[in-house]
Amino acid sequence: MGSVVEIAPLTRLEGHGSVRVYREGRRVERVELQFIDSPRLFEALLLGKSFAEVPEIICRICALCSTVHKVTALLAVEDAFGVEVSEVTALTRELMLQAGMIQDHALHLYCLVLPDLLGVRGVAELARVAPDLLKTGLAIKKVGNQITETAGGRLIHPVNIRLGGLGRSLTRNELARLRDELQKVLPAAQEAHRLFNTPFPFPELPTPDFLVLQPAEHPLGAQACSMVGRASFPLRDYRQHIEETVLDYSNAKLSRVHGKEATVGALARLNLHPDLEGGAGALFKSHKQELVGKDMRGNNLAQAIEMYHATERALRLIDRLIELGPRQEETAAPSPRAATGCAACEAPRGVLIHSYSFDSQGICTMADVITPTALNQGALARDLLALARGMEGEETNRMTTALERLIRCYDPCISCSVHVLSL
Amino acid sequence: MRRMKLAITGLTACSGCQLTLLNCEDELPELLGHCELVYFPLAESGNVLDVQFDAAIVEGAVSTPKDLELLFKLRNASTHLVAYGTCALFGGVAAMNNRVSTRRELLRSVFGAGEKLPESFPPVPLANFVSVDAAVTGCPPEKQEIMELVVALAAGTLPPARSYPVCTECRSHENLCLLLEKRELCLGPVVQGGCNARCPATGIVCEGCRGPVREANVAQELELLLERGFGRDEIERRMSRFKPEWDYGKRS
């Protein structure tokens, strides 16, 4: 007899989602992954708004990733109007991206994943059973947030980064304070991999088709998308390579790249860009066996290594900013023209693409945003089915726990995914 | 002291208000000792709704039947219902086009014609459907304000409402006035303060993310902006970013 197991709402992740497992006796027939956040229709809201308003509005897609949405939107608008920014502005933006990586990975690992490893309900129980671990995680997270708040003027939906420049550049004292704070958490960030290297006690999953941006050395200058085993394609042509389908059971559209379910994010980056600098590079080498060519069960370990990498990289960026010295930069005021701009960044969860068209007055006539969670949705659904099938006959409870843990490996951000894809 | 039972969740929103609570890294461990997070899907598993809550802290606007169902459940189950953030209080960014385009047009332009459209109506504040006992505004809210709220709830009371505009804090910090001195489209005079004028402090105009201050002199702001050469369309578009309806004739 057929039966349906529902996990709703999905917990310890951003947004509203659910999973349904359809079974015929013991056999798993299919698995439905639903992203059911209420659609907010940003691309439609942006039409008719001025170019200057676009980055300020679009960052509200998602709180967790608001910095990278804002930076990507600024880059896309600047691309449309041919605006160049100074080195200080570019460094400050990249510093904020690294800070976002630190805060986002720390939040996910220490507040959302750690309860699974310790067998507790969530952050409240963590505070009782593992207060020191939680405090360590919160301390790392806090430094990411301090950078964002100092450089961005506000922690979520930062305001200080703007078209063509900065509201104000950071003072030497501010930079020195941030450097000290980063140095304090560096040892903890370096050790995080030990905690999140815990083996995942469930069956093997399909090998992912990783997708990343290139070149990795220029986080603000992505030119192409590269997929394992495929020729890379220019960012500008992304529409020809990424197809989307509307699903009748989910508010997010399904994206396929080259007809495959792409996997983006930390594990994808470490697989395709394994040449990390500094201590994180050495750390990655010692974990290669668990990461290269592996399935998504390795993603939390990859996030831990990236968190350390972002901490180191943020320190280098700050050193460079201190070297350049504080200066009040002239903001390059964009002059609007009829044009289309496109930009992409590696968000904590993976490839994020923004594209906008403007008329000669700078009024937005097209907006398109491809988010990492929308890209990952197909691979996540595929893995859920594989995992459920691999656990046929096991207790339902054990299976649903495993499915939830798998979803947390992907670290989905559902409010990003559900309303930002236009046809 | 008895630990208070809390529900914390989001409707049509970006999770930023809930994240603001988790961003209180220094206070969080102690705070968690004072409350029981009975329903908080963002950070807890094993959530239940069929208990009596001391307070439900709800982020986001109401725009779907599912939002409404959850809101009614929480209202019925809670002693206090808190509208948490600008979307819950005023509709927020998702509501900015409520007066200029229909929901169906917006849905069609995103999900395509002929496709099955998600069930959705124009996003509106919680208070359009239920009574609201307390509010924390902001997109996102200030950490300090959510802490004030939780501490007040734990003490069995509610925090005082603020009733001064962004300009009050902005002037006391002696920031350059972007509206009068730089002739930019700053909404500080009509927008609720409490944010320490974060944006003007970095040289960026107040975009109005905290919604209207009590007794806002909207007509005067409109006149000031018109005098500075901004078009009525542009002004209304900017004013609507976080709250679609303003009474442009209102003088305090």
Side-chain angles (χ1 to χ4, degrees):
Chain A
M1 206 184 75
S3 64
V4 184
V5 181
E6 186 174 42
I7 313 172
L10 296 175
T11 58
R12 281 189 267 129
L13 50 78
E14 194 288 324
H16 305 268
S18 67
V19 166
R20 283 193 197 138
V21 183
Y22 292 82
R23 291 192 294 195
E24 196 59 53
R26 286 172 39 146
R27 230 180 81 76
V28 172
E29 294 283 318
R30 63 193 170 96
V31 174
E32 262 179 23
L33 169 68
Q34 300 185 305
F35 288 164
I36 47 177
D37 261 44
S38 316
R40 289 184 298 149
L41 312 173
F42 273 93
E43 316 87 319
L45 296 177
L46 288 176
L47 302 181
K49 304 288 193 292
S50 132
F51 68 94
E53 294 176 83
V54 167
E56 294 164 11
I57 295 174
I58 199 74
C59 69
R60 260 87 185 185
I61 279 182
C62 177
L64 280 75
C65 338
S66 63
T67 298
V68 67
H69 273 293
K70 185 136 192 188
V71 169
T72 313
L74 292 172
L75 293 171
V77 177
E78 287 166 358
D79 179 54
F81 301 146
V83 177
E84 301 276 333
V85 300
S86 71
E87 188 182 357
V88 170
T89 296
L91 286 168
T92 308
R93 287 177 181 177
E94 206 218 313
L95 177 63
M96 289 184 60
L97 290 190
Q98 299 301 343
M101 203 68 94
I102 297 169
Q103 113 78 22
D104 210 81
H105 284 347
L107 171 73
H108 181 244
L109 293 172
Y110 285 92
C111 298
L112 310 185
V113 171
L114 190 55
D116 284 330
L117 306 183
L118 300 181
V120 298
R121 260 190 69 207
V123 69
E125 255 181 286
L126 272 187
R128 283 190 285 282
V129 304
D132 293 337
L133 275 183
L134 179 63
K135 278 182 190 159
T136 302
L138 289 175
I140 301 173
K141 176 174 169 313
K142 185 179 167 184
V143 176
N145 280 343
Q146 281 175 319
I147 297 173
T148 308
E149 188 159 10
T150 311
R154 186 163 64 186
L155 188 45
I156 300 172
H157 311 315
V159 293
N160 189 41
I161 40 174
R162 59 197 298 187
L163 284 172
L166 295 169
R168 63 170 194 89
S169 52
L170 296 177
T171 66
R172 209 177 278 277
N173 278 345
E174 286 171 328
L175 288 166
R177 187 174 57 83
L178 293 176
R179 187 182 53 193
D180 293 348
E181 296 295 330
L182 276 164
Q183 260 153 357
K184 270 190 232 159
V185 299
L186 198 59
Q190 186 177 11
E191 289 304 303
H193 69 105
R194 294 185 199 284
L195 195 54
F196 298 98
N197 193 24
T198 318
F200 191 103
F202 304 111
E204 202 171 314
L205 301 167
T207 308
D209 291 299
F210 295 120
L211 179 80
V212 297
L213 294 173
Q214 287 183 320
E217 314 81 76
H218 300 292
L220 302 176
Q223 298 296 328
C225 294
S226 157
M227 194 174 200
V228 173
R230 292 290 189 134
S232 61
F233 57 88
L235 180 59
R236 242 160 244 300
D237 300 341
Y238 77 92
R239 270 281 152 213
Q240 295 162 31
H241 299 272
I242 304 178
E243 323 141 41
E244 293 167 337
T245 329
V246 175
L247 300 172
D248 60 2
Y249 54 80
S250 179
N251 289 354
K253 290 180 203 167
L254 181 66
S255 308
R256 281 205 182 82
V257 183
H258 295 307
K260 292 185 168 185
E261 282 91 17
T263 296
V264 297
L267 186 62
R269 289 188 286 257
L270 292 189
N271 266 271
L272 290 180
H273 296 308
D275 302 319
L276 297 184
E277 43 200 345
L283 194 57
F284 170 66
K285 281 200 186 81
S286 70
H287 282 293
K288 257 189 166 163
Q289 309 296 332
E290 297 120 86
L291 296 167
V292 175
K294 296 296 176 190
D295 62 55
M296 272 309 262
R297 294 175 301 169
N299 198 45
N300 291 339
L301 174 60
Q303 288 178 317
I305 294 173
E306 276 199 340
M307 186 173 76
Y308 177 43
H309 177 251
T311 313
E312 289 189 309
R313 179 136 181 144
L315 278 166
R316 284 193 288 276
L317 292 166
I318 287 179
D319 285 343
R320 177 69 184 141
L321 279 167
I322 291 176
E323 203 179 298
L324 286 172
R327 50 181 87 177
Q328 196 46 50
E329 304 272 323
E330 273 306 301
T331 297
S335 18
R337 60 183 187 207
T340 295
C342 180
C345 288
E346 285 283 351
R349 291 167 185 77
V351 175
L352 170 68
I353 305 172
H354 282 218
S355 177
Y356 306 102
S357 295
F358 301 98
D359 66 13
S360 56
Q361 304 300 303
I363 299 295
C364 180
T365 54
M366 184 281 294
D368 189 30
V369 176
I370 305 263
T371 65
T373 298
L375 285 166
N376 268 339
Q377 193 189 2
L380 172 54
R382 175 201 66 202
D383 284 2
L384 286 169
L385 180 63
L387 183 56
R389 288 206 166 136
M391 295 182 77
E392 277 175 358
E394 297 212 31
E395 268 176 54
T396 302
N397 239 344
R398 231 179 92 73
M399 185 173 77
T400 54
T401 306
L403 294 178
E404 282 213 77
R405 278 197 63 179
L406 170 60
I407 294 167
R408 278 180 215 117
C409 286
Y410 275 87
D411 187 12
C413 194
I414 303 176
S415 68
C416 272
S417 72
V418 298
H419 44 65
V420 284
L421 306 161
S422 58
L423 284 173
Chain B
M1 193 161 64
R2 184 180 71 89
R3 285 160 64 210
M4 59 176 167
K5 286 187 163 57
L6 290 184
I8 305 171
T9 192
L11 305 177
T12 301
C14 76
S15 301
C17 304
Q18 297 179 75
L19 183 62
T20 297
L21 186 65
L22 294 177
N23 281 343
C24 301
E25 289 97 358
D26 290 336
E27 299 84 0
L28 201 57
E30 194 194 335
L31 177 85
L32 292 170
H34 289 285
C35 48
E36 211 179 310
L37 301 174
V38 183
Y39 187 86
F40 186 13
L42 177 61
E44 297 282 325
S45 296
N47 299 285
V48 286
L49 269 175
D50 49 1
V51 295
Q52 185 64 33
F53 295 102
D54 292 293
I57 301 177
V58 182
E59 165 188 3
V62 188
S63 83
T64 66
K66 270 193 186 331
D67 285 348
L68 203 49
E69 189 187 326
L70 180 58
L71 180 63
F72 284 150
K73 271 190 194 153
L74 288 171
R75 174 68 277 183
N76 288 334
S78 310
T79 309
H80 290 117
L81 183 94
V82 181
Y84 185 23
T86 298
C87 297
L89 266 168
F90 305 110
V93 282
M96 68 173 78
N97 275 26
N98 281 5
R99 286 186 321 127
V100 293
S101 40
T102 69
R103 198 67 184 157
R104 200 173 170 75
E105 285 162 11
L106 292 174
L107 284 163
R108 282 218 180 280
S109 77
V110 174
F111 285 87
E115 308 279 357
K116 184 179 166 269
L117 297 178
E119 280 188 290
S120 167
F121 49 84
V124 289
L126 308 187
N128 284 28
F129 296 103
V130 296
S131 61
V132 168
D133 305 298
V136 175
T137 191
C139 181
E142 294 295 315
K143 287 200 263 189
Q144 182 203 330
E145 288 180 297
I146 182 65
M147 279 301 128
E148 273 174 22
L149 174 93
V150 176
V151 169
L153 286 171
T157 176
L158 292 172
R162 285 182 168 75
S163 60
Y164 53 86
V166 170
C167 295
T168 305
E169 283 160 331
C170 196
R171 295 316 270 164
S172 73
H173 286 295
E174 301 186 359
N175 297 328
L176 178 74
C177 180
L178 299 170
L179 177 64
L180 300 177
E181 291 166 71
K182 289 194 78 182
R183 306 177 76 83
E184 293 183 27
L185 205 167
C186 186
L187 301 181
V190 287
V191 170
Q192 189 176 320
C195 56
N196 255 320
R198 274 179 187 277
C199 301
T202 67
I204 286 157
V205 293
C206 171
E207 55 173 345
C209 83
R210 295 170 58 83
V213 65
R214 247 192 354 203
E215 300 185 10
N217 194 337
V218 186
Q220 182 68 51
E221 170 81 359
L222 180 64
E223 277 164 26
L224 266 173
L225 293 173
L226 288 169
E227 273 170 29
R228 272 153 187 74
F230 296 103
R232 175 92 189 216
D233 280 356
E234 187 183 5
I235 297 168
E236 289 200 18
R237 207 169 66 216
R238 291 293 298 274
M239 299 273 291
S240 310
R241 185 181 293 175
F242 296 95
K243 180 190 191 308
E245 293 97 11
W246 289 78
D247 178 358
Y248 291 98
K250 187 185 159 206
R251 287 178 197 279
S252 54

